[in-house]
Amino acid sequence: MRSNDTFDFMKRWPLCCLLFFLLACHSQKTNQSDANNLKDSLLKERSIDEAINQITRVKKTVLPGDLVVRTGKDFTSDAMRKLSQQDKTYSHCGIASWEEDTLFVYHALGGDFNPDQKIRRDPFEFFCNPYENKGFGIFRYQLNKQQQQGIVRIAKDYFLKGTRFDMQFDLTTDERMYCSEYIYKTIKKATSGSIPLHTTTLNKIQFVAIDNLFVNPYCSEIQRVVFNQNNSLLSK
C-alpha cells in the first residue's frame, strides 16, 4: 500500500468504525422493536381468545329477560358512564333473549354505530365483544315466569315497530327511546310497576342512568367481567 493510501485509510478508519457502530445499534434497536411488537401482538391475541372463551362461558348462565350491560371504549361511552351517580361501571344496556340456540341482546343504540337509529338485535358475543368493550355484566330481576316472558315480548315489540333512538333523551315520549329508557319502560310495562325503578335528575333534567337499572334491591348481579389494560380477563 502506498504511503498516501495508508494515510487516507488511517483517516477514514475512525469514521468507518463509527458508521459500523451506528448501523449495529440501529439494527439491534430495530430487532428489539420488532420483538416487542411481536410479543405485544401475541399477548393481545391470547387475551382476546381468553375473553371470547369467557364470554362463551358466561353466555350459558344467561336467562331470558336478564339485563346485559357493557363498558364501551369510546368517548361517548365514557360520557354515558359519568351520568350514573352510584356505579359508573357501565355505559350501555340491553335485554337478553334466547331464540332457538342463539342468545340475542335487544338494545337501543344511536350515533355512527347504528346509522338507521333503530333498536337492534345483536348476538350476545357481538354485544360483549372485547375489541370494542372493556367488560360486561349480567343482572337479573326478581321475576315470575310470566313477567320474564313479558319483558322479552315487549322488548321485541319495540324492536319490530322500528323504534328509533332518542337523541333528545326525552323520557316523556315513547316514540323514540335511548338505551336505558328502553329497558326502564320495558321492565315497568312487563311488571306493571311491581319492580320500582328510579330515575336521576341533574340540572333539573330527569333521565334514566344506567345504574338506575341495576342498583336496586330487586336486581341481583349474576356476572361481572372486566378486561384489564392488556385485554386479559379478570372475572369477579
Side-chain angles (χ1 to χ4, degrees):
M1 182 179 294
R2 293 179 299 178
S3 59
N4 288 340
D5 292 339
T6 301
F7 180 71
D8 289 342
F9 176 77
M10 293 302 294
K11 286 198 300 182
R12 293 190 179 96
W13 174 247
L15 179 60
C16 292
C17 290
L18 178 60
L19 289 173
F20 178 80
F21 176 75
L22 291 174
L23 288 171
C25 289
H26 176 73
S27 176
Q28 184 177 8
K29 288 180 180 179
T30 300
N31 291 337
Q32 184 64 41
S33 177
D34 289 343
N36 288 337
N37 289 338
L38 177 60
K39 181 179 179 181
D40 290 343
S41 178
L42 290 173
L43 286 174
K44 185 174 182 179
E45 182 178 348
R46 179 182 175 185
S47 61
I48 290 295
D49 287 341
E50 292 174 353
I52 292 172
N53 289 336
Q54 184 75 341
I55 290 169
T56 301
R57 184 188 68 78
V58 171
K59 174 182 175 180
K60 299 174 183 178
T61 70
V62 179
L63 296 180
D66 279 354
L67 173 67
V68 185
V69 288
R70 71 186 186 193
T71 306
K73 295 180 179 180
D74 58 289
F75 173 80
T76 301
S77 295
D78 287 341
M80 291 300 296
R81 288 171 54 228
K82 291 175 182 177
L83 293 177
S84 293
Q85 301 301 297
Q86 299 181 73
D87 187 329
K88 299 179 183 292
T89 304
Y90 302 110
S91 59
H92 192 53
C93 54
I95 289 293
S97 173
W98 280 100
E99 298 171 22
E100 296 183 355
D101 59 349
T102 303
L103 178 60
F104 290 103
V105 179
Y106 288 84
H107 61 115
L109 187 66
D112 295 336
F113 299 103
N114 189 29
D116 68 7
Q117 306 291 297
K118 294 180 181 179
I119 288 175
R120 294 172 60 101
R121 183 187 72 161
D122 288 323
F124 179 77
E125 295 86 349
F126 181 81
F127 183 89
C128 301
N129 81 83
Y131 297 99
E132 298 174 344
N133 297 291
K134 298 177 182 179
F136 68 97
I138 309 297
F139 291 85
R140 186 168 299 155
Y141 295 98
Q142 296 177 18
L143 305 169
N144 57 41
K145 192 70 174 179
Q146 183 179 1
Q147 292 171 330
Q148 184 185 53
Q149 293 173 347
I151 285 179
V152 174
R153 177 179 54 78
I154 293 168
K156 287 182 180 180
D157 286 345
Y158 285 125
F159 167 74
L160 294 173
K161 289 177 182 176
T163 305
R164 295 179 184 274
F165 190 82
D166 184 5
M167 296 299 295
Q168 301 300 317
F169 289 80
D170 184 357
L171 191 58
T172 64
T173 64
D174 292 348
E175 288 74 20
R176 291 175 176 264
M177 297 182 185
Y178 54 93
C179 65
S180 48
E181 178 189 5
Y182 170 50
I183 308 304
Y184 173 88
K185 290 183 175 178
T186 294
I187 292 171
K188 287 183 72 71
K189 190 173 181 180
T191 63
S192 300
S194 63
I195 293 181
L197 292 176
H198 301 290
T199 59
T200 295
T201 302
L202 291 176
N203 298 324
K204 298 182 180 180
I205 299 175
Q206 183 186 27
F207 62 94
V208 182
I210 302 294
D211 65 343
N212 287 140
L213 300 174
F214 63 85
V215 179
N216 188 300
Y218 293 88
C219 187
S220 301
E221 180 179 284
I222 305 302
Q223 296 282 347
R224 183 182 291 241
V225 176
V226 180
F227 305 115
N228 69 18
Q229 293 181 351
N230 294 320
N231 287 329
S232 58
L233 279 168
L234 298 174
S235 181
K236 298 181 180 179

